Amino acid sequence: MLRLPKFRYLQPDSIGAAIRMMADNGPDAMFVAGGTDLYPNMKRRQQTPKVVIGLAQINDLRTTKGQPKDGLVLGANLTLSEVTGDSRIRHAYPAVARAAELISTPLLRNMGSIGGNLLLDTRCNYYDQNYEWRKAIHFCMKKDGDICWVAPSSPRCWAVQSSDCAPVMVAIGAKVKLVSSSGERMIPAAELYNDDGIRHLNKRPDELLTEIHLPAVNGWRATYWKLRRRGSFDFPVLGVAVSLKLSKDKTVEDSKIILGGVGSYPIEAATAEKIIAGKKLTEEIIREAAQAAYQPAKPLDNTDFAMTWRKEMARYYVAGTLRELAKL
Ligand SMILES: Cc1cc2nc3c(=O)[nH]c(=O)nc-3n(C[C@H](O)[C@H](O)[C@H](O)COP(=O)(O)OP(=O)(O)OC[C@H]3O[C@@H](n4cnc5c(N)ncnc54)[C@H](O)[C@@H]3O)c2cc1C
Ligand code: SF4
């Protein structure tokens, strides 16, 4: 049985107290929400904070404010079950509800938070192993080692962005609020992620994610398709989030096509977006866009399934999402 290492647990009851505790404890501390990512990582010694700051008692992180016509503000510590159970989210942001309800199992969705999901550690078959396993291969660059076993001549880590909600938040243009003892900032969800398996978040460790701002719906429609081995359980090995604004005659006025699970960050398929801009979504245009969207998908041999098949599936999933939104 894998055991947690020793650590000190602090339990603030306000955002102010949480960021003060973080400032006092410095790089030895980490926040924890549901713990469904952090605690398994601590058991495997992938993440080794000496101090863990629990967010469960902070009511201000657990609220939903606003209405879809103006935008909704989700507290970062809402559980995934609370997100999927909220009728405003189900009706106005079905892609968000869908991504959240495709995550893992009901038990984990009752514990796991939407904020923790957006900040999920990147994943790799050579990294998501216990300490002894990783030690036996002399570790890897992401933790304790100096080589990448997936691409040994590579100077960087290619661990995979594996959050289901991240590509959706990027596609719909959500924003996130980050708060620390040095102030607060609001950034687009797209700017939260870096193309780097180690420094995958554009967020300082002392910054607390407090809110996720979903934009006013305003004629946009979005969907999310997830590829995984076991339909009831697994992480995505490909996630396609598409958001479209169609005119009355169904011409594409604007779009975002985002690929998750096939790189270290949610990848925008910009060429595909250009192909559909100003056009009606016919089978021919969809095929052309899907072909272009598959190009930036860069899966490597570090998660489930053959990487060439995962790349190929990006084409089918993009076509499927576009057909669904165009009601073809
Ligand atoms: C068996 C299993 C299957 C899973 N399947 C999936 C899946 O299919 N799809 C998927 O996307 N995920 C999956 N997960 C991962 C995880 O359960 C979810 O992503 C969950 O939403 C994480 O939320 P959490 O609150 O438990 O995060 P935590 O474990 O509490 O935190 C995750 C990270 O975010 C940081 N953090 C959390 N909240 C904040 C905050 N407010 N401010 C700053 N930092 C914060 C923590 O320090 C930590 O680094 C799975 C996990 C397991 C164990
Ligand atoms: S991609 Fe390479 S460096 Fe990154 S976790 Fe995997 S083996 Fe380690």
Side-chain angles (χ1 to χ4, degrees):
M1 183 209 264
L2 295 178
R3 291 188 188 282
L4 279 168
K6 284 207 166 121
F7 61 93
R8 202 151 64 90
Y9 184 75
L10 304 178
Q11 192 162 271
D13 58 8
S14 69
I15 291 172
I19 61 176
R20 268 195 307 280
M21 286 173 184
M22 181 54 90
D24 290 347
N25 287 284
D28 275 347
M30 284 182 80
F31 294 117
V32 71
T36 62
D37 183 47
L38 182 64
Y39 289 141
N41 285 0
M42 287 173 68
K43 287 181 178 178
R44 295 186 293 250
R45 307 309 191 255
Q46 292 157 286
Q47 290 171 313
T48 49
K50 304 263 183 319
V51 177
V52 173
I53 302 172
L55 305 173
Q57 300 301 316
I58 305 179
N59 292 334
D60 286 346
L61 293 179
R62 205 74 185 263
T63 59
T64 307
K65 292 180 269 187
Q67 287 302 327
K69 66 178 172 46
D70 310 308
L72 274 190
V73 180
L74 309 184
N77 221 20
L78 287 169
T79 65
L80 297 166
S81 298
E82 285 166 338
V83 169
T84 60
D86 187 318
S87 58
R88 288 166 297 182
I89 299 175
R90 293 193 81 80
H91 289 125
Y93 306 95
V96 174
R98 181 159 197 197
E101 75 188 356
L102 287 172
I103 292 170
S104 190
T105 61
L107 287 178
L108 283 157
R109 291 196 294 276
N110 289 342
M111 287 300 294
S113 66
I114 183 80
N117 186 246
L118 296 184
L119 302 176
L120 189 68
D121 196 8
T122 49
R123 296 181 61 79
C124 171
N125 288 344
Y126 294 89
Y127 169 70
D128 291 301
Q129 304 289 348
N130 66 38
Y131 182 84
E132 287 71 24
W133 193 103
R134 291 186 294 113
K135 188 176 174 200
I137 59 161
H138 305 292
F139 303 103
C140 80
M141 199 188 282
K142 185 157 159 73
K143 175 74 176 140
D144 300 326
D146 51 16
I147 189 170
C148 173
W149 291 108
V150 177
S153 58
S154 168
R156 60 161 284 189
C157 163
W158 298 89
V160 182
Q161 177 273 309
S162 304
S163 151
D164 280 298
C165 293
V168 175
M169 294 301 178
V170 174
I172 67 172
K175 293 185 173 161
V176 295
K177 189 176 189 182
L178 301 169
V179 180
S180 70
S181 55
S182 41
E184 60 180 57
R185 61 190 178 118
M186 182 92 90
I187 58 169
E191 287 177 21
L192 186 57
Y193 302 102
N194 294 322
D195 185 10
D196 183 327
I198 296 173
R199 285 160 291 275
H200 57 104
L201 293 175
N202 176 21
K203 167 193 157 319
R204 293 194 318 271
D206 67 324
E207 285 181 307
L208 177 70
L209 170 62
T210 56
E211 293 173 350
I212 300 137
H213 289 235
L214 308 184
V217 175
N218 202 16
W220 285 82
R221 51 175 89 162
T223 190
Y224 177 69
W225 283 29
K226 169 175 181 171
L227 177 67
R228 55 180 162 176
R229 187 177 289 269
R230 294 169 294 182
S232 59
F233 188 60
D234 284 324
F235 281 90
V237 290
L238 166 69
V240 175
V242 177
S243 184
L244 288 184
K245 189 162 192 189
L246 299 177
S247 67
K248 281 208 179 89
D249 72 350
K250 301 241 173 107
T251 302
V252 177
E253 289 180 347
D254 206 349
S255 71
K256 281 273 178 262
I257 302 175
I258 308 295
L259 310 176
V262 284
S264 296
Y265 73 115
I267 298 170
E268 181 167 1
T271 309
E273 292 167 1
K274 282 199 191 105
I275 288 171
I276 60 174
K279 310 238 176 63
K280 290 195 176 130
L281 287 176
T282 60
E283 276 299 334
E284 196 187 343
I285 292 293
I286 287 175
R287 263 200 305 279
E288 204 186 320
Q291 170 64 20
Y294 131 109
Q295 306 291 351
K298 298 258 181 303
L300 290 176
D301 197 11
N302 57 351
T303 58
D304 200 3
F305 292 128
M307 59 185 182
T308 46
W309 184 74
R310 280 166 58 212
K311 183 169 169 73
E312 184 62 26
M313 287 305 285
R315 193 199 314 262
Y316 292 99
Y317 270 47
V318 170
T321 50
L322 289 174
R323 274 191 209 108
E324 180 192 323
L325 292 176
K327 300 198 167 83
L328 291 180

